[in-house]
Each structure stands twice: as C-alpha cells, then as structure tokens.
Amino acid sequence: MGCLFSRRRKPAQGGQLPQQQQEGSGQDAATGEQKAPQYSWDLRAKVDPKDYTFSGLKNETVGRLPGKVAGQQFVIQDCENCKIYIFDHSATITIDDCVNCQIFLGPIKGSVFFRDCKDCKCVVACQQFRTRDCRKLEVFLCCATQPIIESSTGMKFGCFQYYYPELALQFKDAGLSIFNNTWSNIHDFTPVSGENNWGLLPETAVVQDYVPLPSSEELKAVRVSTDAAKSIIPITRGQRQKNSDESCLTVFFAGDYTTANARKLIDEMTSKGFQLVQTKEVLMKAEDAHRVFQQSALEFIPLLEKGPVVALEFNGDGAVEQCQSTVNEVFSGTKVFVSESKASASQDVDNFYNFADMQMGM
C-alpha cells in the first residue's frame, strides 16, 4: 500500500487555473492577502501505512475499532503470542509469519491470505480465504467462495459465529452476504496421498475458548458477543454428516423483510430441534426457476426481478411438514417456496444448490 501523494499542476494557459482547481483560492477576508489555491487532491485524507499494519509485536493485545480501517487493506506480520482484533471492514488482509496468535478479522471485501503462520486461532469473514505454508490454524470462518489451503497441515475449520452492533453494516460495506458461507467446503491445493491436511472443529467448539473477548480498555468498548444464538452469520452444519435422510428447501424472495424473515424461520426451526445445513443468497433467472422449482416455477418467476433469493436447507425427521406449517403460520402473507414432500425435497435441495454453485463459480 502506498501513500497518496498530492501533485500540483501548472496553471492553465493565460495563468488561469481550471475552474475546479480554483476552489478555496481568493483573498483572506481578515488580512486581504491572496490565499494559495486548494486542489481537490489536497483535501483527501492521507493514508499512512503504519495505521494499517501490525508488525513485529510480541505478547501484546492490539486492534482497530469500528470505523478505523474503513475499507483499507491491512497487513499483519511477524507477531508472536498476540491478541489481534480488527473490528472493521477492510479491502484485503495478509497475515505473514505469525506464531501462537489469536486473531479476529471483521468482514474483508476481497481476500485474506495466511502465509507461514503456525499455532494460530482465528475468526475470519471474507470473500476469499487462502493459506500457504501454515501449520495448525483453527479458524471460525465465513467465506463466500471455496476456501483454499496450500502446503498447509493440521488445519481445522468451524462456522463463523460473532456479534457486535456494527458488524451487520460492515458485512454490507464489504459486499458480503450473511447467507453465503462455504466454511466447510475446503479445497486442498496440495493433497498428500493417505493424509488429510484439514478437518472440522468439534460441533461443541465455543469461539471464546479459541479467540477470547478483548481485555484492553479501548477494545472492550466494542460490545462483542460470541453467543451462537446472536451470531450475525447463521450457524450451519456445512459438510458435517446429516442426522436424518429428510431435508427441506425453503426459498424467500427479495423484499423489504427477506433477511428478517429468513432469520425468523431459522430461529423457529432450530428451536424445534431441526438443523440448518446450508444457506445461500443468489440471483435467479426464469430459466433457473424452471430447473429449481419445476411445476411451481410460473408462480415465482415474477418475484425474481426484485433481487436475489435466500435459500435455506433444514434437516431432520419431519422437516418438510414442520417447514410448511411454520411458513403458513408465520409468513401467511408472503410468497415462499417450500418443498412439497419428503420425496421431492432432496431433489429440490440438489437442484437449487447445484444451480447456486454454478452461479458462484464453485
């Protein structure tokens, strides 16, 4: 990352500055002296790389409060036994040569890249996740695309679960959907025959046991909760073994309350013991609707023009009947697609998520 430098241009022919460059020039009202002209690039905030770097730290707790990174790129390098918290959205983050650190990274619009790190515990939300030459990283992850590990061993992954008041808006600022999370669909770029370089954290894993709440007075001002029930990201089973051979697909269409409705159904279903397997937010076209919704397609095609749909897969014995009952009871005035029967539901799930994965290039 470089600094932003201002450069003064020569006046236009005849000694006159172009109109847009004359802002701020003229006489000082108090002294009558001619003021130097101000240029638009002089008014930009200067970016100091030191404000977006943690380097060479040992046994420290450091971080950035909401609003302090504001979409810039960030660098973390050569840190040991540190607790690091980035409570803001950023463009990209690289983490190099860090050992035994506990790291929280707020929403990252682009990629996060861990290189030559070991024995670190992390909570990360990003568009792209990649590691190279890393050992023993334990990561609670939200990733919009397929996470990639390369020349890395002892990697463990769980579903991102975190809350503070500014986090939902930071996800929007980073262009990330809370429903697009492929945390467990890991691609190992350098597999070794007969070995597995990665696995999943225990279902009972608690974020706070891995990345504790910040202890410094400054960072305690961020009202963090690691309670799974409060998490901005819905907690999904991902690639874990399903408990039942019955799943149900539910699809909400774009509108003012789509996210709230989806969260409400998740709360209703999980409170009754059903498990949320996966979620997705994606745009659909008419031809996609025919493939996914089959005979019901014509009913839903007009709704697709309003924006992306949010799809949820629930699993558990009786999931279809319970989904239908809850949707009829709670969302009676809203058009929602719900699988018709246990027999058709597994095909509904496959049809939708195969389409969604192709849409997202996975």
Side-chain angles (χ1 to χ4, degrees):
M1 181 196 315
C3 296
L4 296 176
F5 295 101
S6 62
R7 179 190 296 169
R8 297 188 182 276
R9 287 189 288 182
K10 292 181 181 179
Q13 199 169 9
Q16 290 297 309
L17 290 164
Q19 183 63 40
Q20 71 270 25
Q21 295 181 26
Q22 295 185 48
E23 296 174 11
S25 63
Q27 286 189 333
D28 186 296
T31 66
E33 293 179 3
Q34 193 74 14
K35 290 194 296 184
Q38 279 191 314
Y39 300 91
S40 58
W41 50 87
D42 287 334
L43 303 178
R44 289 184 197 149
K46 303 298 188 292
V47 175
D48 187 342
K50 294 196 296 296
D51 293 336
Y52 306 99
T53 304
F54 290 136
S55 181
L57 305 179
K58 282 195 175 186
N59 306 310
E60 291 192 46
T61 296
V62 294
R64 290 288 182 267
L65 293 171
K68 294 301 183 183
V69 179
Q72 295 290 337
Q73 64 189 61
F74 210 97
V75 174
I76 301 170
Q77 59 190 17
D78 300 308
C79 294
E80 187 175 345
N81 300 323
C82 289
K83 295 179 174 66
I84 299 169
Y85 304 86
I86 307 296
F87 290 129
D88 205 358
H89 69 103
S90 57
T92 61
I93 296 185
T94 55
I95 302 99
D96 292 328
D97 300 291
C98 289
V99 178
N100 195 33
C101 290
Q102 296 159 317
I103 301 170
F104 172 85
L105 302 178
I108 301 160
K109 186 172 187 175
S111 64
V112 60
F113 199 177
F114 287 83
R115 296 176 295 200
D116 299 288
C117 295
K118 62 180 181 181
D119 298 313
C120 292
K121 297 173 170 60
C122 313
V123 182
V124 178
C126 58
Q127 175 74 20
Q128 298 175 309
F129 176 91
R130 189 168 180 185
T131 71
R132 191 173 68 205
D133 299 315
C134 292
R135 282 196 300 115
K136 291 182 68 177
L137 300 192
E138 296 173 314
V139 186
F140 290 88
L141 180 63
C142 173
C143 187
T145 56
Q146 186 174 29
I148 293 173
I149 64 171
E150 181 181 356
S151 303
S152 299
T153 60
M155 312 291 287
K156 294 288 178 70
F157 295 91
C159 182
F160 181 103
Q161 38 201 284
Y162 217 79
Y163 170 85
Y164 53 87
E166 299 86 353
L167 188 53
L169 184 57
Q170 291 172 5
F171 265 89
K172 286 187 177 178
D173 287 340
L176 300 178
S177 167
I178 64 170
F179 297 109
N180 290 336
N181 185 10
T182 60
W183 66 270
S184 63
N185 186 20
I186 312 298
H187 176 67
D188 187 352
F189 208 68
T190 50
V192 178
S193 180
E195 297 182 22
N196 198 348
N197 292 321
W198 66 275
L200 302 182
L201 290 167
E203 284 187 68
T204 53
V206 177
V207 168
Q208 202 167 319
D209 294 341
Y210 292 76
V211 180
L213 300 184
S215 55
S216 72
E217 287 305 314
E218 179 192 30
L219 297 174
K220 275 202 258 183
V222 182
R223 291 177 289 154
V224 171
S225 172
T226 57
D227 180 353
K230 292 183 178 179
S231 177
I232 289 292
I233 299 296
I235 311 303
T236 55
R237 288 187 65 75
Q239 303 283 322
R240 296 189 195 280
Q241 182 77 32
K242 295 178 182 178
N243 288 348
S244 167
D245 62 357
E246 180 176 350
S247 277
C248 179
L249 178 70
T250 305
V251 181
F252 288 91
F253 298 87
D256 293 338
Y257 305 105
T258 306
T259 297
N261 288 344
R263 297 302 301 248
K264 175 68 173 170
L265 183 60
I266 291 169
D267 290 345
E268 292 280 340
M269 291 294 288
T270 54
S271 71
K272 293 177 172 67
F274 295 95
Q275 294 186 315
L276 182 64
V277 176
Q278 56 183 333
T279 65
K280 193 71 76 177
E281 183 171 13
V282 66
L283 287 164
M284 294 185 77
K285 298 175 183 173
E287 58 265 32
D288 305 321
H290 284 291
R291 192 183 324 151
V292 173
F293 303 133
Q294 309 281 315
Q295 294 88 345
S296 309
L298 292 177
E299 179 185 353
F300 297 113
I301 284 174
L303 304 175
L304 301 179
E305 295 178 1
K306 296 181 180 180
V309 303
V310 172
L312 314 171
E313 179 192 350
F314 294 101
N315 183 260
D317 294 341
V320 172
E321 184 180 348
Q322 186 60 59
C323 252
Q324 291 174 347
S325 170
T326 303
V327 166
N328 289 336
E329 185 180 320
V330 180
F331 308 103
S332 56
T334 305
K335 274 201 184 242
V336 183
F337 173 86
V338 184
S339 294
E340 283 189 13
S341 66
K342 177 181 176 181
S344 66
S346 60
Q347 191 62 54
D348 291 339
V349 170
D350 287 345
N351 287 344
F352 182 86
Y353 284 98
N354 287 341
F355 143 74
D357 286 347
M358 283 193 296
Q359 276 288 96
M360 302 186 78
M362 295 178 56

